[in-house]
Amino acid sequence: MLPGLMWTLLLLAAGCPAAEPQLSAEADARQNFQAGEAAMQHAEWPQAQAAFEKVLRLAPNDVGTLVNLGVVCTRQNKWDSALGYLTRAEKLAPS
């Protein structure tokens, strides 16, 4: 289990309401990421882009999301956007 998720679950169990939005945001990000991947598999590029952009609002430094947005933008011939997402991903990716 992820350390952040474990702490969130412990705080929820202790009745700490501040942990609930974080858990919800993580669940929203995961759900949108999965929706984006599904849209990519069906070549539904605008839907994939919208889903991954939602993830990015919740997790702006998620490398996988940035790479997927780069691919999605490439498939839509949005070269400047693709380059921007891929450059950000490269800067954040561990060497």
Side-chain angles (χ1 to χ4, degrees), residues 1-13 16 18-27 30:
M1 184 179 295
L2 299 171
L5 182 57
M6 186 170 22
W7 279 111
T8 300
L9 292 174
L10 286 172
L11 290 171
L12 281 173
C16 179
E20 291 174 18
Q22 180 183 355
L23 183 60
S24 178
E26 288 175 12
R30 190 173 324 124

Side-chain angles (χ1 to χ4, degrees), residues 5-87:
L5 182 57
M6 186 170 22
W7 279 111
T8 300
L9 292 174
L10 286 172
L11 290 171
L12 281 173
C16 179
E20 291 174 18
Q22 180 183 355
L23 183 60
S24 178
E26 288 175 12
D28 286 348
R30 190 173 324 124
Q31 181 180 11
N32 282 300
F33 190 89
Q34 291 169 349
E37 285 186 321
M40 283 180 74
Q41 290 175 354
H42 297 287
E44 297 169 344
W45 308 120
Q47 294 88 339
Q49 184 174 353
F52 289 127
E53 286 173 346
K54 288 179 184 176
V55 176
L56 207 56
R57 283 193 290 277
L58 297 167
N61 294 326
D62 186 80
V63 174
T65 300
L66 289 165
V67 169
N68 284 345
L69 276 165
V71 171
V72 167
C73 288
T74 299
R75 294 300 203 153
Q76 297 177 90
N77 298 322
K78 297 179 179 179
W79 307 112
D80 290 338
S81 294
L83 183 59
Y85 287 126
L86 294 171
T87 300

